[in-house]
Amino acid sequence: MSIRKRTSKKAPDGYSYQVYFSYHDRYTDEKKMFTKSGFYTYEDALYYEKKMKIELDQKHYMCSGQKVTMNQIFNEWLNLEASYYYQDNTIIDYKNRYYKHIEQRLGSVLVNEVDFRLLQNYFNENEQIGMATNYKLKEVLSVLFKFSIKCGYISSNPLNYVRISGKDSARSSQAKVYTDKDFFRIIDELQAINTYRSRVYITALYIGRYTGMRISEVFALDKDDFCFASSTICVNKKMVYANKKQTELKVCNEMKSKTSKSILPFHKDLKTIMSEWFDVHPQKHVISDEDGSYINPKQLEYTLWKISKQLGIHFNYHMLRHTLASRMAEKGADMKATQEILRHANISTTMNIYTHVNEKNKEKALYKAFPIQRVK
């Protein structure tokens, strides 16, 4: 029984009874405690405990009898919650993953019949898919189950104990940093193309190299965001381009996280590059065609893929961000300053970079002590 006896100055006998028990809040997916004191008899406390448990159970399961499939949950989530709590690019990513990997196998299953065994079997059969993809699928499913809890369709998240596995894809095993030699080989290839668009791409690459900005942020920059007097760059918007046609491209002020909006230092080398670019590029948008229209970042990503494949190297735009982070860590830059430049929402993300760099430095230190030589 969840009843305990406590001393009380107000009670006639000098003590009273308290009801206390834990329950699951379906709206927050959290374990909570219910307490109520002031009962002068054990019988009154016992009656009240039973009454409250029945009331909470009724609230808890008031929707659980409805037969709702995972497909219905996904569509309901899209209509009721997605646009209020998630950015366009995230919603598009979730939709693509759901339709490609989840809909066919789990879409027709009733949400209240989805349990640990079903989900564990689902991910066991996904072992040939990359580990990163499986974690993303778990993320999508977790969002849907938490939404189902809020709606009262289920009482707990069946994903809680599911184990995720999968193979490391070739992409995930490739280095996430580039060498200066490879970077300038890319630049040389773009210069050889010698078109207005190729010069735009070169500018975008240098901005990413010196700031670590995401490609969606770079392609949304205006000239007014660069202040030569204060040596700062204002980051306050991004381009929404996933699954968008040229005429559908748009720039919004809703960023990835609260820390994404920031004022970044304007490196002197980048100043020189941007000053020369502004002299020949009269348009308001920094990264645009000759007529001033926005460019879809996917076009640069495809060009980089094509050039890097031709050169036999691994390179993509996001590596500019990873490399800047690694270099600052290797040079001993202040961790908090690195976090603010990269605008990581959590310091733990920055710490992981520093930890990885420290591991590499330890290996270098060992080989300095014992250089590789022929063993006699």
Side-chain angles (χ1 to χ4, degrees):
M1 293 293 178
S2 306
I3 299 174
R4 54 188 172 193
K5 192 175 183 180
R6 310 188 71 178
T7 57
S8 173
K9 294 180 180 180
K10 295 182 180 180
D13 298 331
Y15 57 83
S16 63
Y17 294 89
Q18 181 189 54
V19 174
Y20 71 102
F21 57 85
S22 62
Y23 68 98
H24 184 269
D25 189 325
R26 66 182 178 84
Y27 293 104
T28 61
D29 194 22
E30 296 175 342
K31 182 179 180 181
K32 293 187 175 181
M33 289 296 298
F34 176 86
T35 60
K36 176 71 174 178
S37 305
F39 300 98
Y40 293 158
T41 67
Y42 179 86
E43 289 74 18
D44 288 344
L46 180 61
Y47 173 78
Y48 188 83
E49 178 198 31
K50 291 180 179 180
K51 175 187 173 184
M52 287 309 301
K53 283 185 174 181
I54 291 172
E55 287 185 13
L56 287 171
D57 283 344
Q58 287 175 342
K59 290 179 180 179
H60 195 59
Y61 294 106
M62 63 182 178
C63 297
S64 62
Q66 296 187 32
K67 294 183 178 181
V68 184
T69 66
M70 290 295 295
N71 281 343
Q72 289 173 311
I73 290 294
F74 185 68
N75 289 327
E76 193 172 345
W77 172 78
L78 286 174
N79 293 327
L80 292 181
E81 188 176 71
S83 60
Y84 293 97
Y85 296 100
Y86 298 86
Q87 296 181 29
D88 290 347
N89 290 339
T90 302
I91 296 171
I92 291 169
D93 180 61
Y94 281 10
K95 287 170 72 174
N96 290 338
R97 294 180 189 279
Y98 183 86
Y99 295 139
K100 183 176 181 180
H101 295 287
I102 300 174
E103 182 181 32
Q104 185 174 359
R105 292 166 60 188
L106 298 177
S108 60
V109 180
L110 296 177
V111 67
N112 59 0
E113 292 182 359
V114 177
D115 57 14
F116 165 80
R117 287 174 296 181
L118 178 67
L119 291 173
Q120 188 61 69
N121 184 63
Y122 168 79
F123 282 106
N124 287 347
E125 293 176 355
N126 277 358
E127 283 191 343
Q128 293 306 309
I129 298 178
M131 176 76 80
T133 298
N134 276 330
Y135 271 109
K136 274 293 184 180
L137 294 178
K138 185 177 182 181
E139 180 183 315
V140 174
L141 287 169
S142 183
V143 166
L144 297 181
F145 290 135
K146 288 178 180 178
F147 176 74
S148 300
I149 290 168
K150 294 176 186 177
C151 295
Y153 297 131
I154 57 177
S155 58
S156 61
N157 191 335
L159 270 175
N160 287 341
Y161 300 103
V162 172
R163 176 186 58 84
I164 302 298
S165 60
K167 64 180 181 180
D168 288 331
S169 64
R171 179 181 174 184
S172 64
S173 61
Q174 288 174 320
K176 293 184 178 181
V177 297
Y178 65 86
T179 64
D180 282 344
K181 179 181 177 181
D182 286 346
F183 178 81
F184 289 113
R185 288 178 72 190
I186 296 284
I187 296 296
D188 288 342
E189 289 295 320
L190 288 170
Q191 287 176 336
I193 296 172
N194 195 27
T195 62
Y196 196 87
R197 177 67 71 89
S198 67
R199 294 195 292 274
V200 172
Y201 289 166
I202 290 172
T203 304
L205 286 170
Y206 275 116
I207 295 174
R209 175 179 169 87
Y210 284 105
T211 66
M213 290 172 62
R214 303 172 181 91
I215 193 169
S216 61
E217 299 165 344
V218 172
F219 276 63
L221 286 169
D222 291 330
K223 285 184 176 179
D224 292 343
D225 295 321
F226 293 81
C227 182
F228 286 81
S230 62
S231 297
T232 57
I233 304 171
C234 181
V235 185
N236 57 17
K237 52 190 176 295
K238 70 171 187 179
M239 180 176 288
V240 179
Y241 63 93
N243 289 358
K244 300 287 186 183
K245 297 177 182 178
Q246 179 66 32
T247 55
E248 297 173 334
L249 295 176
K250 65 177 182 178
V251 168
C252 70
N253 294 320
E254 186 180 353
M255 305 290 277
K256 183 175 182 180
S257 65
K258 291 181 180 179
T259 57
S260 293
K261 290 186 178 182
S262 184
I263 304 294
L264 300 181
F266 196 176
H267 195 281
K268 287 185 178 179
D269 290 347
L270 183 59
K271 267 188 176 183
T272 302
I273 293 168
M274 298 311 297
S275 178
E276 293 174 355
W277 176 241
F278 289 171
D279 286 342
V280 298
H281 182 72
Q283 308 301 335
K284 172 187 175 183
H285 307 314
V286 175
I287 306 300
S288 70
D289 275 324
E290 289 183 89
D291 61 358
S293 59
Y294 282 122
I295 298 173
N296 193 321
K298 285 289 184 183
Q299 294 175 311
L300 171 57
E301 291 174 337
Y302 174 72
T303 301
L304 292 176
W305 172 82
K306 191 164 62 172
I307 292 176
S308 59
K309 185 177 180 181
Q310 174 187 327
L311 295 175
I313 61 177
H314 173 58
F315 185 88
N316 59 59
Y317 196 89
H318 202 67
M319 287 172 65
L320 298 170
R321 182 172 172 83
H322 280 294
T323 304
L324 177 62
S326 296
R327 287 185 177 179
M328 287 191 289
E330 287 173 356
K331 299 299 182 182
D334 179 74
M335 189 182 298
K336 186 63 179 175
T338 300
Q339 180 197 10
E340 291 179 358
I341 290 173
L342 297 171
R343 294 159 295 126
H344 290 147
N346 299 309
I347 189 67
S348 59
T349 306
T350 316
M351 289 175 63
N352 287 338
I353 297 169
Y354 274 70
T355 301
H356 178 68
V357 169
N358 288 338
E359 291 297 323
K360 290 200 302 182
N361 288 342
K362 284 193 289 186
E363 184 178 353
K364 289 179 183 178
L366 178 63
Y367 281 101
K368 281 185 179 179
F370 299 101
I372 298 176
Q373 56 188 338
R374 186 176 298 174
V375 179
K376 296 179 180 180

